Amino acid sequence: KKMTPVQKTAFLQEKPHLYYEEDLLHVRLLNELRDPQEARSAAEDFLCACTSWAITDGLSFRYLSDEDLLSMASDFLQNENEYAVRLGLLWILKRAPKRPDARQWVDLALQAKGQNDTKQLIDIKGWMLCEVMIYKPDLAWSILEDPAISRDVRLRAIAKCVESLRISNDDKEKLRALRKKLKEAKR
């Protein structure tokens, strides 16, 4: 809070940081940005030096509109950097499930691969589907029952949903039955 604008600018240009706490401060300063182009440039620049999922997960750009952030997310999903892909998925997870055009964004997120479908990307896709289940259950069910969607992603989504306090017990029972069906189909 005591940093001047000049100090903030100088700090944001110093990368990579030596300490984890400096990365956290960097993300905190980036989250204050209000200009979409500046935010995009700063995020791309920072991701080149990022080495922790915990750090990227803190980058929310809360002052950007849904349209600006989701547009940036779409571009990040095409990136080679796994942190950029995860960040794009996270932004979709946080902003898309409540929107009327949620299906478009969820489909885009489910297609994202990064260099490969790592455990971290599978986990965040499952988390995203859990959020969709909370706000748009019909959409979530259509995705969870679709055999074209990765089995691992569907199982992770089911696990997140079953753990959630925001999902009804009736839906949890149906989800457990679907999980059993998916596991038996692998045998």
Side-chain angles (χ1 to χ4, degrees), residues 92-99 102 106 128 131-132 135-136:
I92 289 173
L93 176 157
K94 298 273 184 177
R95 301 279 185 103
K98 299 175 192 173
R99 294 173 52 93
V106 170
M128 177 192 63
E131 289 294 311
V132 172
Y135 296 104
K136 301 217 183 307

Side-chain angles (χ1 to χ4, degrees), residues 67-156:
E67 288 71 24
D68 289 332
L69 192 62
L70 291 172
S71 171
M72 199 179 342
S74 177
D75 293 342
F76 276 40
L77 294 179
Q78 310 305 318
N79 200 305
E80 293 287 320
N81 183 324
E82 294 272 337
Y83 293 104
V85 174
R86 179 171 169 106
L87 195 50
L89 290 168
L90 184 70
W91 290 337
I92 289 173
L93 176 157
K94 298 273 184 177
R95 301 279 185 103
K98 299 175 192 173
R99 294 173 52 93
D101 60 349
R103 179 72 196 224
Q104 164 194 343
W105 294 105
V106 170
D107 286 345
L108 183 66
L110 290 172
Q111 295 169 14
K113 290 279 187 211
Q115 294 172 344
N116 54 28
D117 227 3
T118 64
K119 180 183 179 332
Q120 288 80 11
L121 298 184
I122 290 169
D123 285 349
I124 201 160
K125 288 177 184 180
W127 180 16
M128 177 192 63
L129 289 176
C130 179
E131 289 294 311
V132 172
M133 179 64 82
I134 293 163
Y135 296 104
K136 301 217 183 307
D138 292 339
L139 172 57
W141 279 110
S142 70
I143 293 168
L144 290 173
E145 293 171 341
D146 184 353
I149 304 299
S150 160
R151 178 181 172 278
D152 291 338
V153 169
R154 292 188 292 157
L155 287 171
R156 187 66 191 128

